[in-house]
Amino acid sequence: MALPVLATIWAIGFLLTIITPSIISKAVGQESGWRGIVLAALFGSIALIQAFIAFPLAGSLLRQGASVSAIAAFVTTLVMVGVITAPLEIKFFGRQFTWWRNFLSFVMAIIIALIMGNILG
Amino acid sequence: MKRLFLARNILAAMALANVLIYFLEPAKAFSILSNAKTYLIEMLSILPPILVLIGLFQVWVPRDTVELMMGNQSGWKGILTAIFLGTAAMGPLYAAFPLGVSLLEKGATLFNVAVFLCVWASIKIPMILFEIKFLGTDFAGLRLALTLPSIILISFLLNTILRRRGFYEKA
């Protein structure tokens, strides 16, 4: 139990240091179209940012001209998909449950993003 | 045993990477460790109350109640209970994992536990208020309106797929 948890926490240390809000701004803010949405969803899936940082960040990106779809994809995967916490989820629910829950959530986040882009974009 | 070995290799790889980064950018190397420490402390402060909660849950909430509220025959009541439990609680998603498992053990359906987990992850009153403040009512409202049916669909598919693959026999 201790080793995988330690590995997860160390990986989180790497992630918090390397994937900072400014890197996310660059990635999500400038790309547009399909690439932008998928990239935003991938960043949201691996990032671990608390709501009180994520929402202001997403708001400022939106005002700077990022697409509604990309921001929706980022916010939705941020809360629903947890790649970095997957080892913990596997410990409790097993590999299949974890893979399918995260995969289905990722797909739905993209669909939500596309619908939102259509209505609000 | 094989998994323990894997974890040990990953740990060794990360230690190596951390040392390499130290030679390239010392400040980053320390920031990785201090971020990990902060996260570890956060996790350690969240887990004890969760474990106490689960202990109380296991002792005080009878299996019949969970089965009645979230079991096979619960229908709409089960979904609503899962949504209520998910929104009422606060805390990161990993805190919900042990609770979800004890719900499963007490007879809640996989579908309802999946709804509970997804709602816990994505729908929280303070979080919605925050989203409205920074992203606007239209954005937050529409995202919420789309998230809820998505959760139901995700849980339905998850339940169907895992049932077909024999998740229940193993659990």
Side-chain angles (χ1 to χ4, degrees):
Chain A
M1 182 74 195
L3 273 184
V5 171
L6 191 62
T8 306
I9 286 166
W10 206 344
I12 288 168
F14 272 90
L15 205 84
L16 290 175
T17 309
I18 294 162
I19 302 182
T20 56
S22 72
I23 299 249
I24 291 170
S25 312
K26 276 187 204 134
V28 175
Q30 287 163 358
E31 295 278 349
S32 60
W34 260 105
R35 257 173 67 114
I37 297 172
V38 172
L39 207 61
L42 288 175
F43 268 93
S45 302
I46 51 173
L48 270 179
I49 312 176
Q50 270 151 340
F52 64 86
I53 299 172
F55 285 128
L57 172 70
S60 73
L61 288 175
L62 207 54
R63 277 189 300 278
Q64 283 163 31
S67 77
V68 171
S69 295
I71 297 303
F74 173 69
V75 173
T76 308
T77 51
L78 186 65
V79 293
M80 302 249 288
V81 183
V83 170
I84 211 79
T85 51
L88 289 175
E89 191 169 351
I90 289 172
K91 281 242 154 288
F92 287 104
F93 287 100
R95 208 167 287 218
Q96 292 218 332
F97 180 97
T98 304
W99 153 253
W100 283 106
R101 194 194 67 77
N102 284 283
F103 173 75
L104 293 170
S105 298
F106 186 88
V107 172
M108 285 315 295
I110 301 272
I111 294 173
I112 290 174
L114 291 174
I115 297 175
M116 286 186 65
N118 257 319
I119 296 178
L120 299 176
Chain B
M1 204 57 215
K2 211 171 105 195
R3 259 158 125 194
L4 201 66
F5 192 66
L6 183 71
R8 203 179 296 163
N9 284 346
I10 292 172
L11 268 178
M14 284 196 294
L16 191 67
N18 219 151
V19 170
L20 281 177
I21 290 171
Y22 173 75
F23 285 116
L24 298 170
E25 280 185 77
K28 276 234 164 93
F30 286 116
S31 143
I32 289 168
L33 293 177
S34 86
N35 276 331
K37 198 185 86 186
T38 311
Y39 205 84
L40 178 67
I41 291 169
E42 190 197 299
M43 217 178 224
L44 289 179
S45 62
I46 286 168
L47 283 181
I50 287 290
L51 293 178
V52 170
L53 199 65
I54 290 164
L56 293 177
F57 175 83
Q58 274 167 352
V59 178
W60 276 349
V61 183
R63 197 191 152 83
D64 291 351
T65 313
V66 177
E67 250 178 13
L68 187 73
M69 298 299 287
M70 297 177 81
N72 274 324
Q73 308 298 318
S74 60
W76 278 102
K77 196 172 58 190
I79 300 178
L80 292 177
T81 310
I83 292 172
F84 174 75
L85 286 179
T87 45
M90 277 300 281
L93 184 57
Y94 61 77
F97 296 152
L99 269 177
V101 169
S102 30
L103 281 172
L104 268 184
E105 283 166 355
K106 291 233 176 192
T109 63
L110 186 64
F111 173 82
N112 285 334
V113 171
V115 171
F116 162 74
L117 280 183
C118 291
V119 168
W120 178 305
S122 56
I123 304 176
K124 292 269 185 332
I125 309 295
M127 239 163 77
I128 294 169
L129 295 178
F130 221 67
E131 187 171 350
I132 290 174
K133 190 175 162 210
F134 286 98
L135 291 165
T137 317
D138 287 355
F139 187 99
L142 183 57
R143 214 177 64 80
L144 180 67
L146 292 170
T147 298
L148 202 55
S150 301
I151 288 174
I152 305 293
L153 183 63
I154 289 167
S155 305
F156 172 76
L157 292 173
L158 189 64
N159 184 41
T160 313
I161 293 167
L162 291 185
R163 190 185 283 272
R164 209 170 275 170
R165 289 166 179 246
F167 184 85
Y168 278 98
E169 287 94 84
K170 261 183 278 167

